[in-house]
Amino acid sequence: MDPAPPPITIVNPNAPAVSVDVLESGRDPWRPRWRPTPRQVRRAGAVLIVVGVAAAAGWAGLTHYLDARADKAAVREVQLGFDVNKVVIVSDGMAVRTRIPLVSHGRHPVTLTAVEMIGGTKSDGLHVVLDGSSSDLILPAGKDCRTATLTKTPTAFRVTLRTYRGTSVVRTLPLGRINAKQYAEDERTRCGYPPAALALG
């Protein structure tokens, strides 16, 4: 059995030649490629710069907002207190000083940097970390030993704290009547003017 004859393709010799470029790309090979003008390049660069500056400013503003919010939260959580039954501890050494067991109830530790008696002296340069456990705070002595200053018993003291975020906080705490009386007696003893009961003993 003879094989089938090969297909015969009839080509019109008068038909125009087919452009391979046009079939592959669909673009007119005679049309030049688009290129941005220098003005368009400058405009695009300016737009990119503006967008970049706006994004950087927005990020900086967001960071500042979050930092400020965290600082405020750290300040709000500062809660100081002391046990009224163990407030005053008088040292029996050469110097008579009043100590108060101070405690912070916040979630994060705070650092005590200064303590000041209302109407009295201030002790700076402290570095007492309060982290939930009691720490003895030594109340500063009076400015001098004049009898006029000994008749005015301070009723509160002011402490300066630094939160874990580095923010400075000032809190005023009352001494209480019994504690204020004990502090006044300690000051009179320190200055050589003990109470009458001790002077006669």
Side-chain angles (χ1 to χ4, degrees), residues 72-160:
K72 291 180 180 179
V75 171
R76 284 196 303 268
E77 77 169 32
V78 174
Q79 299 179 10
L80 300 178
F82 47 83
D83 187 353
V84 295
N85 297 320
K86 302 178 181 178
V87 168
V88 176
I89 302 174
V90 182
S91 62
D92 56 356
M94 296 295 294
V96 179
R97 303 294 295 274
T98 304
R99 299 171 181 263
I100 287 184
L102 192 64
V103 63
S104 173
H105 301 291
R107 292 192 304 121
H108 299 88
V110 294
T111 303
L112 179 65
T113 59
V115 56
E116 177 184 8
M117 298 304 299
I118 301 300
T121 56
K122 182 177 182 180
S123 297
D124 291 312
L126 302 179
H127 191 83
V128 179
V129 179
L130 305 175
D131 57 357
S133 58
S134 177
S135 297
D136 284 345
L137 171 64
I138 299 177
L139 298 181
K143 294 181 179 180
D144 50 47
C145 286
R146 290 179 298 174
T147 55
T149 61
L150 298 178
T151 58
K152 297 180 180 180
T153 303
T155 59
F157 62 98
R158 184 181 296 115
V159 293
T160 304

Side-chain angles (χ1 to χ4, degrees), residues 11-56:
V11 179
N12 186 1
N14 297 323
V18 179
S19 175
V20 178
D21 292 339
V22 174
L23 292 179
E24 290 182 353
S25 63
R27 184 180 62 84
D28 187 356
W30 304 108
R31 183 179 179 181
R33 292 181 177 273
W34 178 85
R35 296 181 182 278
T37 63
R39 184 177 181 181
Q40 291 173 332
V41 172
R42 289 193 296 269
R43 282 186 177 181
V47 170
L48 291 176
I49 291 175
V50 171
V51 171
V53 171

